[in-house]
Amino acid sequence: MNRQTQKRLLGIAALVVAAALWQIVAEYVVGRSFILPSVTDVAGAFVNLLESGTLVADIVVSLEHFGIGLLAALLLGVPIGILMGWFRVADFLLDPIIEILRPIPPLAWIPFAIIWFGLTTQAAGFVIFVGAFFPILTATYAAFRSVPKVFVEAGKVLGCDTSLELIRHVALPAAVPAIASGIRIAMGVGWMCLVAAEMFGVSRSGLGYQLWHNYYLHQMPNVVVYMLILGFAGLIIDRIFRNYVDQRLLRWHAGEVA
Amino acid sequence: MSGVTIRDLGKAFPKEDGTATQALEGVDLEIGDTEFICLVGPSGCGKTTLLRIIAGLETATTGAVTVDGRAVTGPDPKRGMVFQEYSLFPWRRVIDNVAFGLEMKGVGKEERRRTADRYIEMVGLSQFRDAYPYELSGGMRQRVAIARALANDPDVLLMDEPFGALDAQTRNRMQKELLSLWDQTKKTIVFVTHSVDEAVYLASRIVVLSPRPGSIREIIEIPWPHPRDRTSAEFAEVRRRVLRMIDETENAQ
Ligand SMILES: Nc1ncnc2c1ncn2[C@@H]1O[C@H](COP(=O)(O)OP(=O)(O)O)[C@@H](O)[C@H]1O
Ligand SMILES: [Mg+2]
């Protein structure tokens, strides 16, 4: 048995033991599904939700919120980060504004998200945008500031005449690994904001909304289902992104740091 | 056709306390077409600064550099540069590193790959055309950097201690290869080194700089043909002369 399968098997064994313990505690020690739903309660709730079709619909809605927010954060965060990282004047101009806005917790924007956008997909997307924007901006800015000078000078002597050419052909490719790390962090933050935004009523559907709604209905097994789905979805999104970046985009970078 | 004229060149770097470091002062030098010039001198005497001014990466405080009668005002692909540090773009394969300059010129993909392939072959790395820089040794990286500079077909090739980080054997092999490239391409080469041995082996003229402020102390012609014998008596004699000169400039401080 090699190490990898050994690791897998041990992990699965531990999961099974934990589930069994959970089941025993829930059923024989606590004994009330409201306080601690058992594994079987949760599995039953999962099947019901799946059959009713709401689960899939809510996953789609949440992914939509997430996608809108992340896309907006990328479309604004990367270019502004580039401007601030490359042009000192842009840095001087924008830095104070960014420094004032950045410490505001994304969730504090929820009231205005609702006032500006109503209870729409965009409102939830906006809150996620606020959460994801700053990590992307900061990572892009820092990445551009730390592009090795010799790459920029090599670009210049090889015929990059304008800032645009240097950014496009030298600085941006050099910065991609650090920007990708920033995007990963931003996705984590964005996912947390998603749940909170939906919970706080920015939306009338989605995983976060349903989690909170089922709490009101005292359907605690359903709440656990949504908790687990949120965790899994977050994990899967992160994995997909990481694999994509590692394998497709950044073969060269893996070799550089290894 | 590709002479470099340096007239009364001076460079001062302003310091925090309001004074300035005078890196170069009153440098006059006429470099002929297809010449191989080596700049030597103690550390900090302004070799890199002089090279960077010729490249257009630094602006002179006084005086001017002209190439073929045209004043240098900024970087230009007509003046190729090989840096002391590894400067290959790590995100590009060897072939695309070498083709970079042609890409910036707007040369089509097919043609620029063909040209790049030719230069990769010239530096003996055809096997590695699709490798990423991290897969190459230090010597190979500098060979790619040389091919990348040559692919732009520059008038002048500027090299700042390009073999400084290599072990002695690799270094000797690279010197031979460089001479062969110089022979094939007929470029004007300005080569900075702190190795007097390297300078005597390569140069048609050695320019000895003295520090603070950096200025030309002496110019030594070496009319011998290549390849040169490092173990010959006359080689040792010139090497000793240059070393003594550098020592004197340092002790004059
Ligand atoms: N960008 C810079 N800013 C300030 N001082 C510099 C800069 N570049 C070089 N110098 C100074 O100019 C002098 C010459 O440096 P340099 O040309 O690098 O010498 P060399 O290459 O001969 O060792 C040194 O005293 C160095 O400290
Ligand atoms: Mg130097």
Side-chain angles (χ1 to χ4, degrees):
Chain A
M1 205 188 322
N2 67 23
R3 275 213 163 251
Q4 202 58 36
T5 40
Q6 198 180 0
K7 187 179 156 192
R8 286 266 162 72
L9 285 179
L10 283 177
I12 291 169
L15 268 178
V16 171
V17 171
L21 272 179
W22 171 11
Q23 181 73 17
I24 290 164
V25 171
E27 209 157 322
Y28 302 105
V29 182
V30 180
R32 287 178 61 200
S33 178
F34 178 66
I35 294 184
L36 183 65
S38 71
V39 178
T40 45
D41 291 341
V42 173
F46 175 69
V47 171
N48 283 339
L49 287 172
L50 205 58
E51 280 173 352
S52 70
T54 57
L55 191 54
V56 176
D58 282 311
I59 291 176
V60 170
V61 167
S62 283
L63 287 178
E64 204 179 325
H65 292 163
F66 182 70
I68 290 176
L70 194 70
L71 190 69
L74 280 171
L75 289 180
L76 280 172
V78 173
I80 296 177
I82 290 175
L83 281 180
M84 290 177 66
W86 192 264
F87 301 103
R88 289 175 68 88
V89 179
D91 190 11
F92 296 160
L93 275 174
L94 296 176
D95 187 60
I97 303 173
I98 300 287
E99 285 308 308
I100 288 170
L101 292 180
R102 189 166 60 159
I104 301 173
L107 305 187
W109 288 90
I110 288 178
F112 276 108
I114 296 174
I115 288 172
W116 290 340
F117 299 100
L119 294 182
T120 60
T121 317
Q122 289 88 317
F126 177 75
V127 178
I128 292 147
F129 158 75
V130 176
F133 172 74
F134 291 102
I136 291 175
L137 173 76
T138 322
T140 308
Y141 172 79
F144 262 70
R145 295 311 300 260
S146 56
V147 171
K149 195 173 142 213
V150 69
F151 291 166
V152 176
E153 294 191 334
K156 283 183 185 166
V157 294
L158 288 167
C160 291
D161 303 322
T162 59
S163 281
L164 189 67
E165 278 184 318
L166 282 172
I167 289 171
R168 173 151 164 241
H169 297 290
V170 177
L172 191 56
V176 160
I179 295 177
S181 310
I183 294 173
R184 244 185 108 191
I185 292 169
M187 293 203 309
V189 177
W191 197 244
M192 284 193 259
C193 293
L194 169 92
V195 178
E198 290 178 356
M199 269 173 44
F200 276 96
V202 178
S203 151
R204 284 260 181 272
S205 54
L207 296 167
Y209 169 78
Q210 292 295 3
L211 188 146
W212 203 240
H213 185 61
N214 276 277
Y215 160 66
Y216 273 125
L217 301 177
H218 289 196
Q219 292 293 327
M220 298 319 280
N222 285 358
V223 171
V224 177
V225 170
Y226 286 114
M227 285 169 66
L228 290 175
I229 299 250
L230 278 164
F232 268 119
L235 181 74
I236 290 169
I237 291 173
D238 186 60
R239 278 291 156 84
I240 291 174
F241 180 76
R242 209 175 63 187
N243 282 348
Y244 176 77
V245 168
D246 283 358
Q247 288 173 12
R248 303 278 310 273
L249 241 53
L250 299 178
R251 209 166 84 71
W252 65 268
H253 190 247
E256 287 284 305
V257 291
Chain B
M1 331 150 278
S2 309
V4 179
T5 307
I6 299 164
R7 282 264 174 279
D8 189 32
L9 198 73
K11 175 71 183 176
F13 290 107
K15 283 196 290 200
E16 301 253 318
D17 59 11
T19 62
T21 310
Q22 193 70 35
L24 293 169
E25 198 170 68
V27 175
D28 277 298
L29 185 62
E30 192 81 43
I31 300 171
D33 190 27
T34 74
E35 236 192 320
F36 197 135
I37 293 281
C38 277
L39 302 177
V40 299
S43 185
C45 70
K47 304 182 291 292
T48 295
T49 305
L50 179 54
L51 205 68
R52 289 171 57 82
I53 293 173
I54 301 174
L57 290 169
E58 209 88 68
T59 46
T61 319
T62 62
V65 176
T66 54
V67 178
D68 292 340
R70 268 190 301 276
V72 169
T73 52
D76 189 304
K78 287 274 119 200
R79 275 161 280 122
M81 177 105 171
V82 177
F83 295 85
Q84 180 173 13
E85 317 95 294
Y86 297 136
S87 64
L88 294 184
F89 301 130
W91 58 90
R92 284 178 169 247
R93 294 168 193 274
V94 165
I95 176 88
D96 295 318
N97 259 289
V98 176
F100 185 88
L102 299 166
E103 194 178 328
M104 295 306 107
K105 268 189 208 161
V107 176
K109 188 161 182 163
E110 282 302 310
E111 193 189 332
R112 67 176 187 250
R113 291 212 154 191
R114 238 188 343 266
T115 310
D117 266 328
R118 210 172 65 235
Y119 284 99
I120 292 170
E121 199 187 327
M122 213 186 264
V123 297
L125 288 176
S126 295
Q127 267 172 290
F128 291 91
R129 74 190 284 280
D130 293 318
Y132 282 100
Y134 76 86
E135 299 169 280
L136 307 180
S137 69
M140 294 199 247
R141 288 183 202 202
Q142 289 306 65
R143 261 147 58 192
V144 176
I146 293 168
R148 182 174 70 174
L150 288 175
N152 262 346
D153 195 23
D155 298 329
V156 185
L157 187 57
L158 307 167
M159 309 179 83
D160 190 2
E161 304 196 27
F163 309 147
L166 306 179
D167 63 81
Q169 261 170 324
T170 314
R171 195 175 178 134
N172 286 354
R173 208 177 57 235
M174 298 283 292
Q175 290 165 2
K176 279 206 193 81
E177 281 178 25
L178 181 61
L179 285 175
S180 138
L181 286 174
W182 178 53
D183 194 47
Q184 289 171 63
T185 59
K186 307 280 182 238
K187 299 292 175 203
T188 306
I189 297 182
V190 185
F191 188 106
V192 169
T193 178
H194 61 246
S195 157
V196 174
D197 184 79
E198 186 166 68
V200 179
Y201 186 76
L202 294 171
S204 8
R205 278 195 299 162
I206 297 178
V207 176
V208 183
L209 297 180
S210 61
R212 271 166 291 262
S215 50
I216 294 181
R217 155 77 205 264
E218 183 90 51
I219 297 175
I220 298 157
E221 299 250 5
I222 309 187
W224 316 325
H226 296 282
R228 293 174 183 167
D229 180 6
R230 288 174 203 276
T231 56
S232 73
E234 63 212 311
F235 194 102
E237 170 54 32
V238 173
R239 185 171 48 206
R240 200 160 40 235
R241 239 177 80 207
V242 177
L243 277 171
R244 199 178 316 121
M245 232 172 262
I246 294 174
D247 265 355
E248 279 165 16
T249 64
E250 253 180 323
N251 295 338
Q253 294 306 297

